[in-house]
């Protein structure tokens, strides 16, 4: 499991890739990813609504 943070205000997550197992919004966006071992560098898109 890994996490990534985007330091911009985010109101909500509108859509996310299946690899994204969690999303925390607010003053920053933190995404948690499940097992990425089979992704081989694939793009995992997330669509958000900013504040």
């Amino acid at each position: 499991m890994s996490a990534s943070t985007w330091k911009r205000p985010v109101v909500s997550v509108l859509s996310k890739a299946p690899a994204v197992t969690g999303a925390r919004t607010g003053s920053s966006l933190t995404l948690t990813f499940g097992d990425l071992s089979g992704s081989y560098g694939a793009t995992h898109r997330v669509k958000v609504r900013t504040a």
Side-chain angles (χ1 to χ4, degrees):
M1 181 171 71
S2 64
S4 181
T5 300
W6 188 45
K7 297 183 190 270
R8 303 259 192 269
V10 173
V11 175
S12 62
V13 174
L14 302 174
S15 63
K16 61 182 180 56
V20 178
T21 58
R24 187 174 46 200
T25 60
S27 60
S28 63
L29 172 67
T30 301
L31 299 174
T32 305
F33 296 86
D35 182 17
L36 297 175
S37 63
S39 294
Y40 304 106
T43 299
H44 301 287
R45 295 184 188 272
V46 177
K47 186 174 181 180
V48 300
R49 182 178 312 278
T50 56

